[in-house]
Amino acid sequence: MKTILTTLPEEAAQIIKNGGTVAFPTETVYGLGANVFDAKAIAKIFQAKQRPNDNPLIAHVGSLEQIKLLAAEITPIAQKFIEAFFPAPLTLVLPKAKKVPLTATANLPTIGVRMPENDLALKFLKSCGMPVVAPSANLSGKPSPTTWQAVFEDLSGRIDCILQGEPTEIGLESTVLDCTSEIPLVLRSGAITLEQLQKVEPKTRLYKLSEMETPKSPGLKHRHYSPRAEVILISNFKFQIPDSSAFIGLNEPREKFDLIKVCKSIEDYAHSVFAFFRECDRENIKTIYCETVEEKGIGLALMDRLKRASQTS
Ligand code: AMP
Ligand code: MG
């Protein structure tokens, strides 16, 4: 299949209305979208990404009213978070409406809902006229795409269209917050931090995988965000560097690396890390050393992604 490249949100929206798949920019990472009510179009997303069927998709809305099409109930706690944050890099997990196909939610009775904070995404979603389910627009397991070129690298010829926008601002996926019970649970950390959520609802807690038998968010168990190169986390510089090594972190290393990215801030580190992983793979880097950061604010989300990228199984 030929992948159409366009900068026009209306042209991309028409492809969604015709049952196709479109990659589009958001403030977090690029998403691969399809009409939420079209099970055939949703199947194309899983096929293009080679995504395991038990990994649910996030439904993106262009207006707050559209949330009612997706959720059987907007819980009072969810309402508070919507008012405080939407549009935002925050996904709320709610009981799903009957009309939403189970393929969208990987058979879960709940659905993740998000309104992105990005002009082009909102124009595109409004033009679609319906919510659009979209996981990250990468091949499953690879680092999430933060540029349209990264989407092209993974999915050219496998999807109908790429809506070409700017590189994404945040660079890490949205915070996922379960709002189906009394205590809101952060299932995945992101740019909306635990501290910010607790200001709205002090009961909010981090979900720990070990606490319960089956993970609440099935996607959490899959290998994620991985370049071909081995990823190693470091907190000091006292080690022997093998050939074909790269470094990313906040402090300039004294050692010689083949590729170095020194980031201005934790935000810049989060923004740059996935694109850096992809660059390392293109340059045939074998080992990527990632400097650890304090697990606070967006540092928590960054460390979560770095730890997953460094897992070997
Ligand atoms: P991606 O956009 O590729 O990061 O994938 C979406 C992720 O959102 C999934 O891997 C899950 O971790 C999470 N998610 C989406 N829907 C739900 C849901 N109904 N319940 C729990 N987690 C969800
Ligand atoms: Mg993903």
Side-chain angles (χ1 to χ4, degrees):
M1 119 186 9
K2 171 126 178 61
T3 301
I4 294 166
L5 301 181
T6 181
T7 55
L8 306 174
E10 299 79 14
E11 186 184 354
Q14 194 54 49
I15 293 171
I16 293 283
K17 289 184 201 163
N18 293 342
T21 50
V22 174
F24 63 97
T26 76
E27 78 278 34
T28 58
V29 300
Y30 273 69
L32 176 60
N35 176 356
V36 66
F37 300 118
D38 184 342
K40 268 196 193 154
I42 293 171
K44 291 181 192 169
I45 291 181
F46 282 90
Q47 205 180 13
K49 278 182 59 85
Q50 297 171 324
R51 185 176 176 93
N53 287 331
D54 64 352
N55 198 353
L57 310 180
I58 292 170
H60 293 71
V61 295
S63 68
L64 294 180
E65 292 79 67
Q66 285 183 339
I67 301 173
K68 295 189 200 109
L69 301 173
L70 299 165
E73 187 201 346
I74 300 176
T75 57
I77 279 180
Q79 189 59 41
K80 276 169 83 174
F81 288 115
I82 290 170
E83 279 165 24
F85 294 108
F86 274 25
L90 174 66
T91 298
L92 301 181
V93 174
L94 297 167
K96 112 178 178 38
K98 270 210 185 103
K99 247 188 96 187
V100 174
L102 279 165
T103 47
T105 65
N107 283 319
L108 292 173
T110 55
I111 182 154
V113 178
R114 174 164 114 82
M115 182 170 177
E117 191 178 18
N118 173 284
D119 284 347
L120 192 55
L122 288 172
K123 275 191 192 132
F124 163 69
L125 290 168
K126 287 205 172 93
S127 275
C128 289
M130 84 279 283
V132 169
V133 269
S136 52
N138 52 294
L139 282 173
S140 217
K142 291 268 168 217
S144 296
T146 55
T147 61
W148 72 259
Q149 291 90 341
V151 178
F152 188 85
E153 190 175 85
D154 273 15
L155 298 177
S156 167
R158 305 177 68 86
I159 61 177
D160 294 302
C161 174
I162 299 175
L163 176 58
Q164 299 165 293
E166 297 293 313
T168 63
E169 291 151 32
I170 295 170
L172 300 181
E173 306 79 358
S174 59
T175 306
V176 178
L177 183 66
D178 180 9
C179 293
T180 60
S181 55
E182 273 298 292
I183 309 229
L185 289 177
V186 176
L187 304 182
R188 177 174 76 185
S189 50
I192 298 291
T193 63
L194 177 64
E195 295 86 342
Q196 284 174 288
L197 296 168
Q198 283 175 335
K199 277 199 188 132
V200 174
E201 179 48 71
K203 282 188 291 193
T204 309
R205 294 281 169 273
L206 285 184
Y207 168 69
K208 293 266 184 310
L209 246 181
S210 53
E211 275 175 21
M212 282 166 238
E213 302 273 276
T214 44
K216 259 186 170 292
S217 191
L220 295 177
K221 72 176 191 285
H222 295 293
R223 185 169 148 84
H224 260 94
Y225 321 119
S226 307
R228 260 198 323 278
E230 184 185 7
V231 173
I232 296 178
L233 308 192
I234 49 155
S235 54
N236 66 57
F237 298 91
K238 293 187 194 103
F239 56 90
Q240 272 289 330
I241 300 150
D243 289 343
S244 305
S245 290
F247 169 88
I248 183 166
L250 295 173
N251 297 291
E252 181 92 39
R254 269 188 234 129
E255 291 75 5
K256 247 184 98 54
F257 290 90
D258 295 285
L259 216 56
I260 292 184
K261 170 85 188 165
V262 179
C263 305
K264 292 189 285 288
S265 60
I266 296 190
E267 286 74 19
D268 183 32
Y269 194 167
H271 166 85
S272 310
V273 68
F274 287 148
F276 187 73
F277 281 176
R278 285 177 178 270
E279 186 185 350
C280 288
D281 278 353
R282 283 196 302 274
E283 299 294 326
N284 286 318
I285 294 291
K286 291 206 177 65
T287 316
I288 306 171
Y289 291 92
C290 301
E291 192 182 350
T292 54
V293 299
E294 198 184 350
E295 291 182 69
K296 228 176 72 186
I298 196 171
L300 183 68
L302 177 59
M303 282 302 294
D304 168 71
R305 306 311 191 272
L306 294 179
K307 284 179 193 167
R308 285 172 203 272
S310 69
Q311 278 165 12
T312 46
S313 59

